[in-house]
């Protein structure tokens, strides 16, 4: 592991002669994005052999399997995917008969997995849990808990920064998108007591 770390740092050594050049090996958002790219569900050959669902559809299916019955708005908040993408993914999962809508009155209907959806959920869950165990096998229980806590802090801080930027842009009369407005809603929801 030490060799791999040294090689990675060497590959990411800053070559820009300007002293204000961004050192990506020390830049937390870049590091998180790189790990996220490596762990992307659509890059995993085992998952690709289990299902043809795209990453967003699969993330929504996993949310429904873990938290269903659940609405698209709740999936959006939990996964931090934009609501439009979640709605499209839910509609695809409905067409593929991997989820079904609950018969409830109200604006948005919660969905649950069908038998076919449960099968994919179980297969994918077994694989991602095995992959998580391999990823964290060199970590102590304390390090795993620390990593989880730090990632939650990063998530909530990023949410706060984005929500505040949207508020500032609105105050300056700049246009913001529905996706930007969603950041504000998520921030308020996270801070509710």
């Amino acid at each position: 592991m030490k060799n791999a770390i040294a090689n990675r740092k060497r590959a990411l050594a800053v070559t820009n002669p300007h002293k204000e050049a961004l050192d990506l090996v020390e830049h937390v958002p870049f590091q998180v994005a790189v790990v996220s790219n490596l762990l992307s569900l659509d890059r995993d050959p085992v998952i690709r052999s289990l299902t043809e669902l795209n990453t967003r559809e699969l993330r929504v299916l996993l949310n429904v399997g873990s938290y269903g019955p659940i609405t698209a708005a709740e999936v959006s908040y939990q996964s931090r995917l934009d609501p439009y993408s979640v709605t499209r993914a839910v509609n695809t999962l409905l067409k593929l008969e991997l989820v079904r809508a609950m018969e409830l009155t109200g604006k948005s209907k919660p969905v649950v997995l069908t038998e076919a959806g449960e099968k994919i959920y179980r297969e994918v869950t077994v694989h991602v849990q095995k992959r998580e165990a391999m990823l964290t096998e060199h970590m102590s229980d304390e390090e795993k808990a620390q990593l989880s806590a730090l990632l939650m802090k990063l998530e909530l801080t990023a949410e706060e920064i984005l929500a505040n930027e949207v508020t500032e842009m609105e105050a300056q009369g700049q246009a913001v998108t529905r996706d930007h407005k969603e950041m504000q809603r998520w921030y308020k929801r996270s801070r509710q007591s």
Side-chain angles (χ1 to χ4, degrees):
M1 184 69 82
K2 286 181 184 178
N3 248 1
I5 291 170
N7 288 339
R8 188 72 178 132
K9 284 184 176 185
R10 207 170 16 262
L12 288 168
V14 175
T15 57
N16 185 329
H18 301 290
K19 65 180 178 182
E20 63 275 349
L22 184 60
D23 186 354
L24 294 176
V25 78
E26 299 294 332
H27 186 67
V28 173
F30 179 80
Q31 292 173 317
V32 171
V34 168
V35 172
S36 177
N37 288 338
L38 285 170
L39 298 177
S40 177
L41 295 171
D42 66 344
R43 285 190 129 170
D44 188 312
V46 174
I47 289 176
R48 292 283 32 107
S49 73
L50 296 174
T51 180
E52 292 295 317
L53 296 175
N54 70 34
T55 301
R56 287 188 179 184
E57 293 160 356
L58 191 51
R59 285 178 67 186
V60 170
L61 183 124
L62 290 172
N63 266 264
V64 173
S66 292
Y67 306 110
I70 187 169
T71 64
E74 291 168 326
V75 170
S76 180
Y77 173 71
Q78 290 177 352
S79 65
R80 304 304 205 212
L81 292 170
D82 68 273
Y84 179 72
S85 293
V86 171
T87 299
R88 278 195 346 222
V90 167
N91 287 335
T92 298
L93 296 173
L94 284 165
K95 285 178 191 166
L96 294 172
E97 298 182 357
L98 297 174
V99 300
R100 66 176 174 77
M102 304 280 297
E103 292 301 323
L104 297 175
T105 57
K107 190 174 177 182
S108 55
K109 293 183 179 181
V111 293
V112 294
L113 294 179
T114 62
E115 192 174 313
E118 280 284 350
K119 180 182 182 299
I120 293 171
Y121 175 78
R122 282 191 305 275
E123 290 172 344
V124 170
T125 299
V126 165
H127 175 67
V128 296
Q129 287 173 329
K130 188 166 81 174
R131 185 168 74 166
E132 179 189 25
M134 290 186 291
L135 277 168
T136 60
E137 71 183 359
H138 300 293
M139 295 181 189
S140 68
D141 287 343
E142 182 181 326
E143 288 172 322
K144 291 176 198 176
Q146 207 172 27
L147 176 61
S148 183
L150 290 171
L151 288 171
M152 181 62 70
K153 281 183 180 181
L154 278 175
E155 175 188 335
L156 294 173
T157 303
E159 176 187 75
E160 180 177 13
I161 290 167
L162 291 167
N164 288 338
E165 287 174 348
V166 170
T167 301
E168 287 173 24
M169 288 178 67
E170 285 180 316
Q172 295 169 4
Q174 295 179 9
V176 295
T177 66
R178 285 189 336 217
D179 193 33
H180 293 142
K181 298 290 284 176
E182 194 68 19
M183 298 293 171
Q184 291 174 315
R185 284 189 287 277
W186 290 345
Y187 176 70
K188 287 175 187 171
R189 182 173 175 183
S190 294
R191 280 18 182 218
Q192 289 176 349
S193 14

